[in-house]
Amino acid sequence: MKHLLALVAILLSTSVGYAEMSEDEQAYVAANLTGIFYHELGHAVIHLNEVPIFAQEEDAADVFSVLLIDMLNDEETAQSIAYDAAFGYIEDPEGHEDIPYWDVHGPDEQRFYNHVCIFVGAVPDKRAGFAEDLELPEERLESCAAEFDQALESWNPIIDELADKRSGKVIEFIPAATKDIHSLFAMSVIAQEIDALNTEFALPETLTVRVEACDEANAFYDPEDISITICTEFVEHLIERMPGV
Ligand SMILES: [Zn+2]
């Protein structure tokens, strides 16, 4: 809460709102920053809680992200975040990327469909329209409830550990030094997420989350100093790649 109040003070002192960003841009960027932050938190939890991973860690972090989107939000908000965050997986919405099969991340479109499938699988009846809007083929849709159940079963013991907050440590936020509109927006989204997560979960070690300029559109977990960095450049990157722009 203290960080949010500090942010409000920053906003008032600089007399700026987010008017330079359209409402659609704000929603798209906020959804994707949230999804990416949950993904990086997945890496942190895998490291700090010594979670055994039997396939690619990147896939496990994607699954953790979509489970949190489903778990921590009401239906309307969850659908809105999951919808926008799905497109965040597709780097170039206008064409197919050259797929680097050696990469630790799965191909973008596969990550897109995995995300959609697990999200829909959580409540298939309520999310049939969501699956249709995102063109999830019927043959994949059939297995989504089972895929969600398997994902939840895998992560649930860890999520229970996080929710048992005895002697747990919190997530600490370090705001960016830059005060441009994109930095301020990213800070406000991440600070709010941290406040919400700190009321739900605790970690075995203090996790530091920085929003800062880093000369690249990136976000990453660093196990050396137990920190997540969300680069402010990511905001521009997301706006540039927003579908329909
Ligand atoms: Zn990752």
Side-chain angles (χ1 to χ4, degrees):
M1 196 60 193
K2 140 176 117 195
H3 298 305
L4 273 182
L5 292 175
L7 271 168
V8 170
I10 291 166
L11 283 171
L12 289 176
S13 69
T14 51
S15 305
V16 291
Y18 299 125
E20 284 172 41
M21 292 167 70
S22 71
E23 271 182 35
D24 283 352
E25 283 174 351
Q26 290 183 36
Y28 186 76
V29 171
N32 276 282
L33 286 177
T34 301
I36 289 156
F37 176 46
Y38 290 169
H39 172 102
E40 299 309 328
L41 184 64
H43 286 302
V45 168
I46 288 166
H47 173 222
L48 298 173
N49 293 65
E50 297 175 353
V51 180
I53 297 297
F54 301 111
Q56 293 215 62
E57 179 171 331
E58 291 303 331
D59 291 341
D62 285 349
V63 169
F64 184 77
S65 175
V66 73
L67 288 181
L68 287 200
I69 292 170
D70 174 66
M71 224 174 252
L72 300 178
N73 297 285
D74 63 49
E75 184 60 22
E76 198 187 332
T77 313
Q79 286 210 20
S80 155
I81 295 175
Y83 186 94
D84 282 342
F87 287 100
Y89 283 119
I90 301 177
E91 277 286 293
D92 178 6
E94 293 182 1
H96 293 271
E97 55 170 350
D98 278 335
I99 300 169
Y101 285 110
W102 46 263
D103 195 58
V104 291
H105 300 85
D108 294 346
E109 301 220 348
Q110 190 167 54
R111 294 178 78 197
F112 171 95
Y113 286 115
N114 287 343
H115 166 95
V116 173
C117 178
I118 290 175
F119 183 74
V120 169
V123 209
D125 296 348
K126 273 193 192 163
R127 296 177 183 171
F130 182 95
E132 216 171 287
D133 287 351
L134 290 171
E135 297 177 9
L136 184 69
E138 194 64 39
E139 58 194 299
R140 178 70 188 269
L141 184 59
E142 283 170 13
S143 65
C144 292
E147 289 187 48
F148 171 81
D149 287 347
Q150 193 181 47
L152 192 65
E153 249 173 65
S154 307
W155 274 107
N156 238 351
I158 311 300
I159 290 169
D160 285 348
E161 250 178 65
L162 298 173
D164 177 7
K165 300 202 288 184
R166 278 171 301 179
S167 77
K169 299 285 201 307
V170 294
I171 306 173
E172 286 184 355
F173 179 56
I174 301 181
T178 46
K179 301 285 184 278
D180 61 283
I181 199 77
H182 291 163
S183 304
L184 290 172
F185 188 75
M187 284 193 276
S188 109
V189 171
I190 299 299
Q192 285 182 61
E193 282 305 323
I194 290 173
D195 280 341
L197 287 166
N198 278 338
T199 65
E200 302 276 342
F201 299 138
L203 293 160
E205 301 283 343
T206 301
L207 170 69
T208 304
V209 179
R210 285 186 205 90
V211 172
E212 67 181 20
C214 26
D215 286 332
E216 58 172 340
N218 203 358
F220 52 90
Y221 172 64
D222 181 355
E224 295 285 313
D225 71 342
I226 312 178
S227 70
I228 290 172
T229 300
I230 310 276
C231 302
T232 54
E233 290 84 352
F234 220 110
V235 175
E236 207 168 319
H237 172 88
L238 288 167
I239 292 171
E240 278 169 14
R241 284 168 171 72
M242 195 173 138
V245 174

